Amino acid sequence: MDAGTYLVTGYTVPFEITVPDGWTTYDGAGVGKDDPDLPDSWNATVIFYPAQYVPADACAWRGKLVQIDPTAEAFVDAMTAQASAVSTPPVKVVVGDYSGVEFDYAVESDVDFTDCDGGRFCVYSESAQDCNGRVYSREGERETYLVVDLNGERAVIALGQSDESMDPALIEEARAVFDSIEFVRPDE
């Protein structure tokens, strides 16, 4: 994708996001960029993928994906209470005309992915039968969540870092993309 500002329409209120050169998108559910010093791809991400099910334990999730109501508060409560994960206390934020919270989320240090259901750490899902949403594949992944109340419906946007050894300049660039998000009222 070219550098520029893009309109994202996946929520009840669209938002604009500004990306520099070198970023890519996949099915419009987020943007990402590779760290050339790491073996995998999409090391820095800004994901806007809806979450309907959150397991009480992100490691022992099979058969335990719980549907949450569509409010921002329900998502934040489920994520910050999730076993096998650690999170910071949610901090209130304002994004344009909308209120929300931001918090950091990561895998607990003593979690062994080989002991997790299916060898996967299930952050959240779109299905009650299988974890098909946000999955971590290794230790060291972390995200900062922005959860915005769009008049009773939530928008979930995550700034992701796939590895603790990522280039600090890429982390800073990803944070700038995340901070560029601006919700747009229909009449604008």
Side-chain angles (χ1 to χ4, degrees):
M1 68 192 303
D2 294 330
T5 300
Y6 293 87
L7 185 66
V8 178
T9 59
Y11 294 115
T12 56
V13 177
F15 65 87
E16 292 179 336
I17 187 169
T18 301
V19 296
D21 283 329
W23 284 72
T24 59
T25 187
Y26 178 73
D27 287 345
V31 294
K33 187 172 182 179
D34 300 346
D35 183 329
D37 295 328
L38 295 174
D40 54 354
S41 61
W42 268 46
N43 306 108
T45 57
V46 178
I47 299 172
F48 15 96
Y49 192 77
Q52 294 179 6
Y53 298 86
V54 176
D57 186 325
C59 189
W61 54 265
R62 189 163 281 138
K64 299 175 186 166
L65 292 164
V66 178
Q67 187 169 13
I68 54 174
D69 72 46
T71 65
E73 183 179 8
F75 179 79
V76 172
D77 289 349
M79 290 288 288
T80 57
Q82 197 175 60
S84 300
V86 293
S87 59
T88 59
V91 175
K92 291 183 180 184
V93 296
V94 175
V95 185
D97 294 333
Y98 301 95
S99 63
V101 298
E102 190 173 299
F103 64 94
D104 292 334
Y105 176 95
V107 180
E108 280 186 342
S109 61
D110 63 347
V111 171
D112 181 350
F113 278 46
T114 60
D115 293 336
C116 292
D117 292 344
R120 296 182 293 168
F121 189 88
C122 180
V123 180
Y124 57 80
S125 181
E126 286 305 298
S127 166
Q129 287 73 42
D130 192 23
C131 190
N132 66 351
R134 186 67 181 110
V135 176
Y136 288 179
S137 57
R138 67 173 187 226
E139 294 82 2
E141 290 189 61
R142 64 169 304 281
E143 291 175 310
T144 297
Y145 278 89
L146 172 63
V147 185
V148 181
D149 180 356
L150 302 175
N151 303 318
E153 294 194 29
R154 72 173 166 266
V156 176
I157 303 166
L159 166 62
Q161 177 182 339
S162 72
D163 193 283
E164 295 168 341
S165 66
M166 267 179 54
D167 179 353
L170 180 54
I171 295 169
E172 187 176 314
E173 184 177 307
R175 182 67 203 207
V177 171
F178 184 72
D179 289 341
S180 77
I181 292 170
E182 185 176 323
F183 284 88
V184 180
R185 290 202 170 276
D187 57 343
E188 291 182 0

